[in-house]
């Protein structure tokens, strides 16, 4: 179990370190191209949830995040033993949730900095950070686990 907590801690540390780098080295709104025009660092702040929804509702985010963290820890210890993909997905989600929670509680806003333009469809993806990426990856892994688990349950029944 320690390895899964270490994964969550590594995500939190990487998230907070990269946000600190942005805060120390970039002006708000500054953009540093990496692969022009598709990928850049862009110093941005988000006072809301995903894509700026519910801006300024810090008390709501605090309550929801604490409930999510408690739920993840409960589910991790109660139901995920012997299911490494589920354990991994829960701890990745935990790392992402805690990373953005720290920002909201300490700064009153989340530091975002990854700017992506998806070629072909020319879609400018909303600016995000490591915690956001972890939340997305964790949810995708959980969906994969659920699909796989359902197939295994059907095999047991047949």
């Amino acid at each position: 179990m320690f390895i899964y907590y270490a994964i969550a801690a590594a995500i939190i540390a990487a998230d907070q370190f990269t946000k600190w780098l942005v805060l120390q080295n970039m002006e708000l709104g500054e953009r540093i191209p990496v692969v022009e025009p598709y990928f850049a660092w862009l110093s941005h702040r988000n006072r809301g949830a995903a894509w700026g929804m519910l801006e300024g509702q810090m008390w709501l985010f605090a309550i929801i995040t604490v409930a999510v963290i408690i739920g993840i820890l409960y589910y991790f210890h109660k139901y995920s033993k012997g299911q490494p993909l589920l354990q991994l997905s829960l701890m990745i989600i935990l790392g992402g949730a805690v990373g953005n929670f720290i920002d909201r509680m300490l700064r009153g806003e989340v530091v975002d900095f990854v700017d992506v333009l998806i070629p072909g469809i020319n879609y400018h993806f909303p600016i995000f950070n490591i915690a956001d990426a972890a939340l997305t990856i964790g949810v995708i892994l959980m969906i994969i686990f659920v699909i796989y688990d359902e197939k295994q349950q059907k095999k047991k029944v047949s």
Side-chain angles (χ1 to χ4, degrees):
M1 264 198 212
F2 171 76
I3 188 70
Y4 296 108
Y5 278 104
I7 290 167
I11 290 167
I12 295 164
D15 177 66
Q16 290 299 303
F17 179 68
T18 54
K19 290 172 179 175
W20 177 82
L21 286 173
V22 168
L23 291 168
Q24 296 300 308
N25 298 296
M26 294 178 74
E27 295 295 323
L28 184 61
E30 181 181 355
R31 185 174 187 275
I32 301 171
V34 178
V35 180
E36 193 65 61
Y38 304 109
F39 183 71
W41 307 125
L42 174 61
S43 180
H44 179 74
R45 305 299 178 271
N46 182 355
R47 292 184 173 269
W51 304 293
M53 293 185 296
L54 300 171
E55 188 170 333
Q57 301 297 317
M58 286 304 141
W59 63 272
L60 178 62
F61 298 131
I63 292 168
I64 290 171
T65 304
V66 168
V68 166
I69 290 168
I70 291 168
I72 288 170
L73 293 173
Y74 175 77
Y75 205 83
F76 180 79
H77 288 280
K78 184 88 171 164
Y79 299 108
S80 72
K81 287 183 179 82
Q83 300 179 73
L85 183 57
L86 179 58
Q87 290 175 313
L88 178 63
S89 66
L90 288 169
M91 288 296 113
I92 291 174
I93 293 169
L94 179 68
V98 171
N100 281 339
F101 183 70
I102 291 169
D103 275 19
R104 287 189 177 103
M105 294 301 103
L106 293 182
R107 297 181 187 95
E109 60 190 8
V110 175
V111 177
D112 290 327
F113 58 89
V114 181
D115 185 28
V116 176
L117 176 67
I118 300 172
I121 60 173
N122 208 32
Y123 176 68
H124 205 121
F125 197 81
I127 301 163
F128 62 97
N129 58 47
I130 289 176
D132 297 334
L135 288 164
T136 301
I137 291 165
V139 168
I140 290 168
L141 289 175
M142 187 170 290
I143 290 168
I144 292 168
F145 167 78
V146 168
I147 291 168
Y148 175 78
D149 190 56
E150 284 180 6
K151 286 183 180 181
Q152 295 299 346
Q153 296 302 325
K154 286 180 183 177
K155 283 182 183 178
K156 287 181 184 178
V157 173
S158 344

